[in-house]
């Protein structure tokens, strides 16, 4: 096993900084090392030092009270606790970066996602209350709500055929959102092309070869609506 070299307090514990900035550095060390499973590559990616990355990992482990990595013959392996933790750590960093860059905020309590930079195709998404959609929404969206009620939220219901050509559907599957249908006249198909539409079926948001930074926050909005039992 590899030992983390750190200074310790009088009780043999590594002091854990209270600074939020240092906490984010610790999370970046964790997620980067989890992605490479190689200390040297993680150090290069972070522009850091071996000692700093090791210290960050040990501090996180002490904060959480569980081991995140095992190291055998200089090979890092995520523990079960580390595997459970890395996705949420990535989301914390993504949310922070997006908030700082102005990519994500909330309007009247509903999520708004805006990605313009570094994308060939800018992405905008805004959740709206159902009553607002019903009052001033486009006819197709109103029809979709009617059909959704008639179908009792069952995608395979015959009533859904009325909007099937325009439908983009995801199902929650093993903690991720799995693409199950993209209609030929949907915004995604006309925006990205039929080839991409066909290739996306059966893929999760995080396994999509056309994945963009906006996907993280689209999934988060889906999760929020699902957990709240809401339509937005």
């Amino acid at each position: 096993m590899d030992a983390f070299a750190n200074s310790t307090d009088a009780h043999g514990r590594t002091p854990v900084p209270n600074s939020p900035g240092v906490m984010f550095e610790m999370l970046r060390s964790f997620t980067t090392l989890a992605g490479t499973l190689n200390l040297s590559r993680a150090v290069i990616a972070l522009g850091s030092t071996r000692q700093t990355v090791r210290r960050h990992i040990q501090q996180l482990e002490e904060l959480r009270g569980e081991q995140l990595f095992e190291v055998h013959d200089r090979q890092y392996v995520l523990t079960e606790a580390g595997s459970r933790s890395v996705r949420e750590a990535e989301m914390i960093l993504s949310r922070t970066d997006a908030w700082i860059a102005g990519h994500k905020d909330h309007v009247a309590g509903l999520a708004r996602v805006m990605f313009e930079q570094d994308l060939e195709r800018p992405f905008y998404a805004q959740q709206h209350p159902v009553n607002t959609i019903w009052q001033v929404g486009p006819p197709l969206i109103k029809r979709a709500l009617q059909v959704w009620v008639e179908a009792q939220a069952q995608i395979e219901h015959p009533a859904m055929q009325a909007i099937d050509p325009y439908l983009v559907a995801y199902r929650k599957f093993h903690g991720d959102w799995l693409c199950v249908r993209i209609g030929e006249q949907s915004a995604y198909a006309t925006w990205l092309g039929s080839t991409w539409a066909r290739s996306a079926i059966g893929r999760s948001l995080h396994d999509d070869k056309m994945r963009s930074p906006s996907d993280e926050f689209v999934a988060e909005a889906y999760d929020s609506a699902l957990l709240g039992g809401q339509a937005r």
Side-chain angles (χ1 to χ4, degrees), residues 25-79:
E25 290 179 10
M26 291 160 59
L27 290 175
R28 291 194 192 281
S29 290
F30 170 49
T31 56
T32 303
L33 185 56
T36 63
L37 296 177
N38 181 284
L39 183 59
S40 296
R41 289 202 295 268
V43 166
I44 293 172
L46 291 163
S48 186
T49 67
R50 298 171 72 89
Q51 183 178 5
T52 298
V53 174
R54 286 171 169 166
R55 182 175 68 250
H56 287 167
I57 299 303
Q58 184 168 353
Q59 289 171 333
L60 281 176
E61 290 179 332
E62 291 184 358
L63 277 172
R64 294 181 61 85
E66 55 189 3
Q67 189 174 0
L68 301 173
F69 292 95
E70 292 181 350
V71 188
H72 301 282
D73 297 326
R74 300 184 181 180
Q75 178 65 48
Y76 282 74
V77 179
L78 281 166
T79 63

Side-chain angles (χ1 to χ4, degrees), residues 132-201:
T132 300
I133 295 173
W134 200 252
Q135 292 169 5
V136 298
L140 180 59
I141 300 299
K142 292 180 181 179
R143 179 57 179 151
L145 286 175
Q146 289 177 321
V147 167
W148 187 250
V149 173
E150 292 173 21
Q152 299 181 10
Q154 300 301 311
I155 294 177
E156 303 302 332
H157 193 282
M160 295 294 289
Q161 294 179 5
I163 61 169
D164 189 72
Y166 310 97
L167 186 67
V168 177
Y170 288 86
R171 290 186 187 275
K172 192 70 173 178
F173 183 74
H174 289 179
D176 207 341
W177 288 96
L178 190 71
C179 182
V180 296
R181 186 171 302 175
I182 297 182
E184 294 180 357
Q185 299 181 54
S186 68
Y188 280 19
T190 56
W191 187 26
L192 296 170
S194 58
T195 300
W196 173 86
R198 288 191 296 270
S199 69
I201 303 298

Side-chain angles (χ1 to χ4, degrees), residues 202-222:
R203 292 180 178 271
S204 72
L205 274 176
H206 299 103
D207 186 39
D208 181 1
K209 63 182 181 181
M210 294 290 290
R211 181 182 178 187
S212 75
S214 63
D215 292 343
E216 296 281 354
F217 306 101
V218 172
E220 187 178 344
Y222 290 169

